[in-house]
Structure formats: structure tokens, C-alpha cells
Amino acid sequence: MKKTFLTAVAALGALAVSAQVVEQPKFFDNWSIGLDGGVTTPMSHHPFFKSMRGVAGLHIQKQVTPAFALGVEGAFGVNTSSWKGRVHSSTAFDNSYVGAYGAVDLFNLFGGYQCQTRPFTIEAVGGAGWGHEYINEANGEDVNYFATKAGLNFNFNVSDHVTIAIKPSVVWNMTGGYNGQSSASYNINRATFNLMAGVTYNFGGGFKCVRPYDQGEVDALNGQINDLRGQLDACAVTAAAWQAKADVLGNELAACKARKPEVVKEVSNQYNSVRFVFFKIGSYKITADQQPNVEMIADYLKNHPKAKVIIKGYASKDGNYDFNVKLAQNRAEAVRDALIKKYKINSNRIVAQGEGIGNMFEEESWNRVSICTLETE
């Protein structure tokens, strides 16, 4: 009967835990050790209070699930008085009990595990073990017997690691009485009542709840992970393309920095066939005061139908190099366009070239010029 009861309790404990998703602890997690002290007295045939004697004990326990625990314990009745009609023990103890037990946390069993330590719990305890009564061997009454135990633990959890408990219980002598008396089975006449108080230290971190995921959620999360990986790969390809472009631009920039400026150091103007058209800084517009120079070139070309003109545009070294190179080309083309559009000179007779930065003249402003060289056959 007792074995059936313990089996049922263990099954209920496993059922309660299955309702919660709890991270499986390691073997050395959730052990506890405690000291117990209190009183014990026979259940019948003796004055209940007058027959009380002190009892001290020790227990070691393993919390298997949030609702079920296994443990071993020992309790020793202090030799302070004799039970009526019995011979006094010659040792420091009158009796002892050593056994194993199972404990069911009723709150976690029926209320579910809350993923944290409850401040107060009640445990139902059932166990079995070896009982012994220390009687003077000269009287032939030293007794060993098989014993069972049932009780409750009222636990006050001071913290996650410390528990103070009140432990009422009953222990039955299952083997029998003295001097050949018939065996007893859950007989109140062979039972003792125990009232203990205990302090327990709990090792380990208890039980941790984890959120369950069904296969659909797992598949959805895997899908999101794969999508993010795909996006990451695409970003890596894009980054590689931009890096390659940056490398090309970097190489072009390095080449431009390494290129030496093209500077015309000397232009011969010793011939009467050379004319100059000067420009303002940063501009390629032919101003009114330079228009007569353009007209002189046009008149010459009209008077010499086979003549040609070579126009070379220059810029001073003020400002950005690349801008000045373009500006020199625009200044040559400005003179060419004026000859074609205003004076109707055939474009085949005109060559316009940008020569970049010039330093022909010591006066820097004079280097902002288009030098027009007239050639005749």
C-alpha cells in the first residue's frame, strides 16, 4: 500500500512538471542539506506530553523536478526519559531512524511552477527505513525494525537558498512488537508522533523556465534567418562593387596627382603675324576692348584667302589646375567661334587648341590669353 502511494505521488510530480517547460538541470544542481530538531512521543499507551523526548536529525535532498524531490534522513531521540514500563537505555539515545523519502510540493503540483521560489510551500512526505531502539542489552530488548513514515513540511523560503520548515510526521514500526508479539501494520499502538523544526540550505540555481517553440515558429525563425543571410550576402556583393569602383577612382586620382602640369615656357612673338586676345581672370568671354584684335585677324584672313590661323588658348596658374586646363581650351574656342559666326571665316582655316597654363609673360595677367598665329602658304 505504501509503495503504491509513493508511486502515485511520483507520477503526479512528473505530470506537474510536464505542464511546465523547465530547463533540465544538471545532476549536481538543486541539492540541499539541513539540520532538524524537535520532539518525539508515542501515539498511544503513554502520556502524550509526559513521554516526549528531544530528537535531532540531518537530511540531504535532491529536487528532481519543481514538484518532486528525493532524500535521505536520520533522526535520533535523545535519552532524557524512559517510556512507561520500559528499561532505560544505557546510551545517549533512546531510539533512531534512518531512511529514504520522497517529497511532493503540493503548491507546485496543483498550482503549477511559477518559475520562481514561492515564499511558502507545503510538502507531503512519505518514506521508509530502519528503526532502532537502544535498550539495555542485558535485558535482551535491543530492537531493530522496519519503519515507514508520513508527514508534512511547512516550508518558509527565506531566500532562494535558505528554508525554515515545521515538520510534523508519524513513524510506524512495521516489523512488530517486543518479546515475540505479533507484527504490526500501520498500527497506532506502534507509531510515534514527531514534531521537528529544520533549517535547510539549498545549493544550485533552482529551476529555469524556458519558452517553448513549436515547429512552425522554429521554421518561421529559420526563414527569417535565411532571409537576413541573403540580404547580408547581397550587401556584401554591393559593397564589393562599390569598393572596386572606389579603387578605380583612387587610381585615377593618384595618376592625376602624379602628372606634372603642362606649362609652355616660351612662345615666340617676333613675327608680325602674331596677335593676342586677352581675357579677364576665370573668364573666356571676349570683352569689347579685345574685339579689335579679333577683327584684325579676320581682316588678315579676308585679305589673304589662303592663310590660316592657329589659336592657342592659355590660362594663368591661379586656381584649380583642371579648371584652368578647360578654361584655356574655352578661350581658344571663343576666338574661333567669333571668327566663324561674326566674320564668316571658314572653319577649315582655323585651328583652336587649349595649351593649359602658360608662363610666357612675367606679368601673370598677360598669361590669360589666346595667341593667334597667322600662317600663309
PDB file of all heavy atoms in Angstrom, residues 142-161:
ATOM      1  N   ASP A 142      17.098  -4.930  22.988  1.00  0.00           N
ATOM      2  CA  ASP A 142      17.555  -4.053  21.916  1.00  0.00           C
ATOM      3  C   ASP A 142      16.789  -4.431  20.647  1.00  0.00           C
ATOM      4  O   ASP A 142      16.780  -5.613  20.264  1.00  0.00           O
ATOM      5  CB  ASP A 142      19.064  -4.243  21.714  1.00  0.00           C
ATOM      6  CG  ASP A 142      19.737  -2.940  21.345  1.00  0.00           C
ATOM      7  OD1 ASP A 142      19.272  -1.894  21.818  1.00  0.00           O
ATOM      8  OD2 ASP A 142      20.732  -2.988  20.596  1.00  0.00           O
ATOM      9  N   VAL A 143      16.131  -3.477  19.990  1.00  0.00           N
ATOM     10  CA  VAL A 143      15.161  -3.796  18.935  1.00  0.00           C
ATOM     11  C   VAL A 143      15.533  -3.097  17.624  1.00  0.00           C
ATOM     12  O   VAL A 143      15.838  -1.910  17.611  1.00  0.00           O
ATOM     13  CB  VAL A 143      13.743  -3.367  19.364  1.00  0.00           C
ATOM     14  CG1 VAL A 143      12.750  -3.644  18.230  1.00  0.00           C
ATOM     15  CG2 VAL A 143      13.333  -4.076  20.621  1.00  0.00           C
ATOM     16  N   ASN A 144      15.492  -3.845  16.524  1.00  0.00           N
ATOM     17  CA  ASN A 144      15.582  -3.304  15.160  1.00  0.00           C
ATOM     18  C   ASN A 144      14.263  -3.574  14.462  1.00  0.00           C
ATOM     19  O   ASN A 144      13.654  -4.644  14.654  1.00  0.00           O
ATOM     20  CB  ASN A 144      16.712  -3.966  14.368  1.00  0.00           C
ATOM     21  CG  ASN A 144      18.075  -3.610  14.914  1.00  0.00           C
ATOM     22  OD1 ASN A 144      18.446  -2.463  14.940  1.00  0.00           O
ATOM     23  ND2 ASN A 144      18.825  -4.624  15.379  1.00  0.00           N
ATOM     24  N   TYR A 145      13.823  -2.671  13.620  1.00  0.00           N
ATOM     25  CA  TYR A 145      12.554  -2.880  12.940  1.00  0.00           C
ATOM     26  C   TYR A 145      12.515  -2.045  11.648  1.00  0.00           C
ATOM     27  O   TYR A 145      13.206  -1.054  11.507  1.00  0.00           O
ATOM     28  CB  TYR A 145      11.376  -2.521  13.837  1.00  0.00           C
ATOM     29  CG  TYR A 145      11.401  -1.117  14.383  1.00  0.00           C
ATOM     30  CD1 TYR A 145      10.811  -0.064  13.692  1.00  0.00           C
ATOM     31  CD2 TYR A 145      12.027  -0.846  15.605  1.00  0.00           C
ATOM     32  CE1 TYR A 145      10.849   1.229  14.184  1.00  0.00           C
ATOM     33  CE2 TYR A 145      12.064   0.438  16.112  1.00  0.00           C
ATOM     34  CZ  TYR A 145      11.474   1.485  15.404  1.00  0.00           C
ATOM     35  OH  TYR A 145      11.511   2.757  15.892  1.00  0.00           O
ATOM     36  N   PHE A 146      11.673  -2.541  10.736  1.00  0.00           N
ATOM     37  CA  PHE A 146      11.404  -1.798   9.501  1.00  0.00           C
ATOM     38  C   PHE A 146      10.338  -0.757   9.797  1.00  0.00           C
ATOM     39  O   PHE A 146       9.311  -1.064  10.415  1.00  0.00           O
ATOM     40  CB  PHE A 146      10.934  -2.752   8.399  1.00  0.00           C
ATOM     41  CG  PHE A 146      10.471  -2.049   7.146  1.00  0.00           C
ATOM     42  CD1 PHE A 146      11.358  -1.333   6.349  1.00  0.00           C
ATOM     43  CD2 PHE A 146       9.134  -2.094   6.764  1.00  0.00           C
ATOM     44  CE1 PHE A 146      10.934  -0.688   5.206  1.00  0.00           C
ATOM     45  CE2 PHE A 146       8.701  -1.453   5.614  1.00  0.00           C
ATOM     46  CZ  PHE A 146       9.607  -0.755   4.836  1.00  0.00           C
ATOM     47  N   ALA A 147      10.593   0.472   9.347  1.00  0.00           N
ATOM     48  CA  ALA A 147       9.684   1.562   9.672  1.00  0.00           C
ATOM     49  C   ALA A 147       9.281   2.328   8.415  1.00  0.00           C
ATOM     50  O   ALA A 147      10.017   2.373   7.429  1.00  0.00           O
ATOM     51  CB  ALA A 147      10.347   2.523  10.659  1.00  0.00           C
ATOM     52  N   THR A 148       8.091   2.879   8.454  1.00  0.00           N
ATOM     53  CA  THR A 148       7.616   3.778   7.396  1.00  0.00           C
ATOM     54  C   THR A 148       7.246   5.116   8.019  1.00  0.00           C
ATOM     55  O   THR A 148       6.995   5.209   9.232  1.00  0.00           O
ATOM     56  CB  THR A 148       6.407   3.198   6.652  1.00  0.00           C
ATOM     57  OG1 THR A 148       5.350   2.965   7.599  1.00  0.00           O
ATOM     58  CG2 THR A 148       6.763   1.901   5.957  1.00  0.00           C
ATOM     59  N   LYS A 149       7.180   6.142   7.180  1.00  0.00           N
ATOM     60  CA  LYS A 149       6.959   7.495   7.672  1.00  0.00           C
ATOM     61  C   LYS A 149       6.044   8.262   6.733  1.00  0.00           C
ATOM     62  O   LYS A 149       6.095   8.102   5.511  1.00  0.00           O
ATOM     63  CB  LYS A 149       8.311   8.229   7.769  1.00  0.00           C
ATOM     64  CG  LYS A 149       8.206   9.697   8.135  1.00  0.00           C
ATOM     65  CD  LYS A 149       9.581  10.359   8.125  1.00  0.00           C
ATOM     66  CE  LYS A 149       9.467  11.851   8.411  1.00  0.00           C
ATOM     67  NZ  LYS A 149      10.787  12.512   8.436  1.00  0.00           N
ATOM     68  N   ALA A 150       5.201   9.116   7.294  1.00  0.00           N
ATOM     69  CA  ALA A 150       4.372  10.036   6.520  1.00  0.00           C
ATOM     70  C   ALA A 150       4.262  11.342   7.288  1.00  0.00           C
ATOM     71  O   ALA A 150       4.208  11.347   8.520  1.00  0.00           O
ATOM     72  CB  ALA A 150       2.991   9.451   6.271  1.00  0.00           C
ATOM     73  N   GLY A 151       4.270  12.454   6.559  1.00  0.00           N
ATOM     74  CA  GLY A 151       4.176  13.734   7.237  1.00  0.00           C
ATOM     75  C   GLY A 151       4.036  14.895   6.272  1.00  0.00           C
ATOM     76  O   GLY A 151       3.863  14.712   5.060  1.00  0.00           O
ATOM     77  N   LEU A 152       4.101  16.087   6.818  1.00  0.00           N
ATOM     78  CA  LEU A 152       4.019  17.315   6.042  1.00  0.00           C
ATOM     79  C   LEU A 152       5.180  18.221   6.426  1.00  0.00           C
ATOM     80  O   LEU A 152       5.624  18.229   7.577  1.00  0.00           O
ATOM     81  CB  LEU A 152       2.698  18.048   6.313  1.00  0.00           C
ATOM     82  CG  LEU A 152       1.411  17.369   5.866  1.00  0.00           C
ATOM     83  CD1 LEU A 152       0.209  18.163   6.373  1.00  0.00           C
ATOM     84  CD2 LEU A 152       1.346  17.233   4.354  1.00  0.00           C
ATOM     85  N   ASN A 153       5.658  18.977   5.431  1.00  0.00           N
ATOM     86  CA  ASN A 153       6.661  20.012   5.684  1.00  0.00           C
ATOM     87  C   ASN A 153       6.044  21.366   5.342  1.00  0.00           C
ATOM     88  O   ASN A 153       5.615  21.600   4.203  1.00  0.00           O
ATOM     89  CB  ASN A 153       7.903  19.797   4.817  1.00  0.00           C
ATOM     90  CG  ASN A 153       8.681  18.565   5.210  1.00  0.00           C
ATOM     91  OD1 ASN A 153       8.508  18.025   6.296  1.00  0.00           O
ATOM     92  ND2 ASN A 153       9.557  18.106   4.313  1.00  0.00           N
ATOM     93  N   PHE A 154       5.991  22.239   6.331  1.00  0.00           N
ATOM     94  CA  PHE A 154       5.531  23.612   6.101  1.00  0.00           C
ATOM     95  C   PHE A 154       6.783  24.477   5.919  1.00  0.00           C
ATOM     96  O   PHE A 154       7.479  24.786   6.892  1.00  0.00           O
ATOM     97  CB  PHE A 154       4.687  24.093   7.281  1.00  0.00           C
ATOM     98  CG  PHE A 154       3.432  23.289   7.475  1.00  0.00           C
ATOM     99  CD1 PHE A 154       3.430  22.189   8.334  1.00  0.00           C
ATOM    100  CD2 PHE A 154       2.266  23.612   6.800  1.00  0.00           C
ATOM    101  CE1 PHE A 154       2.280  21.443   8.516  1.00  0.00           C
ATOM    102  CE2 PHE A 154       1.107  22.868   6.977  1.00  0.00           C
ATOM    103  CZ  PHE A 154       1.110  21.762   7.837  1.00  0.00           C
ATOM    104  N   ASN A 155       7.067  24.819   4.663  1.00  0.00           N
ATOM    105  CA  ASN A 155       8.337  25.466   4.316  1.00  0.00           C
ATOM    106  C   ASN A 155       8.168  26.974   4.168  1.00  0.00           C
ATOM    107  O   ASN A 155       7.318  27.455   3.409  1.00  0.00           O
ATOM    108  CB  ASN A 155       8.881  24.896   3.000  1.00  0.00           C
ATOM    109  CG  ASN A 155       9.192  23.424   3.102  1.00  0.00           C
ATOM    110  OD1 ASN A 155       9.669  22.946   4.122  1.00  0.00           O
ATOM    111  ND2 ASN A 155       8.904  22.686   2.037  1.00  0.00           N
ATOM    112  N   PHE A 156       9.022  27.712   4.880  1.00  0.00           N
ATOM    113  CA  PHE A 156       9.100  29.157   4.743  1.00  0.00           C
ATOM    114  C   PHE A 156      10.437  29.467   4.052  1.00  0.00           C
ATOM    115  O   PHE A 156      11.503  29.312   4.649  1.00  0.00           O
ATOM    116  CB  PHE A 156       9.031  29.837   6.112  1.00  0.00           C
ATOM    117  CG  PHE A 156       7.749  29.563   6.847  1.00  0.00           C
ATOM    118  CD1 PHE A 156       7.634  28.437   7.663  1.00  0.00           C
ATOM    119  CD2 PHE A 156       6.659  30.408   6.720  1.00  0.00           C
ATOM    120  CE1 PHE A 156       6.454  28.174   8.344  1.00  0.00           C
ATOM    121  CE2 PHE A 156       5.479  30.145   7.399  1.00  0.00           C
ATOM    122  CZ  PHE A 156       5.365  29.030   8.212  1.00  0.00           C
ATOM    123  N   ASN A 157      10.351  29.854   2.773  1.00  0.00           N
ATOM    124  CA  ASN A 157      11.555  30.089   1.974  1.00  0.00           C
ATOM    125  C   ASN A 157      12.042  31.516   2.215  1.00  0.00           C
ATOM    126  O   ASN A 157      11.544  32.477   1.628  1.00  0.00           O
ATOM    127  CB  ASN A 157      11.256  29.851   0.492  1.00  0.00           C
ATOM    128  CG  ASN A 157      10.842  28.419   0.228  1.00  0.00           C
ATOM    129  OD1 ASN A 157      11.559  27.487   0.588  1.00  0.00           O
ATOM    130  ND2 ASN A 157       9.677  28.230  -0.390  1.00  0.00           N
ATOM    131  N   VAL A 158      13.016  31.635   3.097  1.00  0.00           N
ATOM    132  CA  VAL A 158      13.558  32.944   3.455  1.00  0.00           C
ATOM    133  C   VAL A 158      14.254  33.592   2.255  1.00  0.00           C
ATOM    134  O   VAL A 158      14.197  34.798   2.053  1.00  0.00           O
ATOM    135  CB  VAL A 158      14.528  32.808   4.641  1.00  0.00           C
ATOM    136  CG1 VAL A 158      15.110  34.162   5.028  1.00  0.00           C
ATOM    137  CG2 VAL A 158      13.826  32.171   5.833  1.00  0.00           C
ATOM    138  N   SER A 159      14.920  32.776   1.434  1.00  0.00           N
ATOM    139  CA  SER A 159      15.569  33.244   0.214  1.00  0.00           C
ATOM    140  C   SER A 159      15.608  32.066  -0.753  1.00  0.00           C
ATOM    141  O   SER A 159      15.039  31.010  -0.489  1.00  0.00           O
ATOM    142  CB  SER A 159      16.989  33.750   0.516  1.00  0.00           C
ATOM    143  OG  SER A 159      17.837  32.680   0.871  1.00  0.00           O
ATOM    144  N   ASP A 160      16.281  32.282  -1.877  1.00  0.00           N
ATOM    145  CA  ASP A 160      16.407  31.185  -2.850  1.00  0.00           C
ATOM    146  C   ASP A 160      17.245  30.038  -2.305  1.00  0.00           C
ATOM    147  O   ASP A 160      17.193  28.923  -2.834  1.00  0.00           O
ATOM    148  CB  ASP A 160      17.039  31.700  -4.148  1.00  0.00           C
ATOM    149  CG  ASP A 160      16.110  32.615  -4.924  1.00  0.00           C
ATOM    150  OD1 ASP A 160      14.888  32.538  -4.689  1.00  0.00           O
ATOM    151  OD2 ASP A 160      16.601  33.409  -5.736  1.00  0.00           O
ATOM    152  N   HIS A 161      18.016  30.290  -1.262  1.00  0.00           N
ATOM    153  CA  HIS A 161      18.926  29.265  -0.762  1.00  0.00           C
ATOM    154  C   HIS A 161      18.616  28.784   0.658  1.00  0.00           C
ATOM    155  O   HIS A 161      19.096  27.731   1.052  1.00  0.00           O
ATOM    156  CB  HIS A 161      20.367  29.788  -0.791  1.00  0.00           C
ATOM    157  CG  HIS A 161      20.877  30.068  -2.165  1.00  0.00           C
ATOM    158  ND1 HIS A 161      21.203  29.075  -3.063  1.00  0.00           N
ATOM    159  CD2 HIS A 161      21.090  31.245  -2.811  1.00  0.00           C
ATOM    160  CE1 HIS A 161      21.613  29.618  -4.195  1.00  0.00           C
ATOM    161  NE2 HIS A 161      21.551  30.933  -4.071  1.00  0.00           N
TER     162      HIS A 161
END
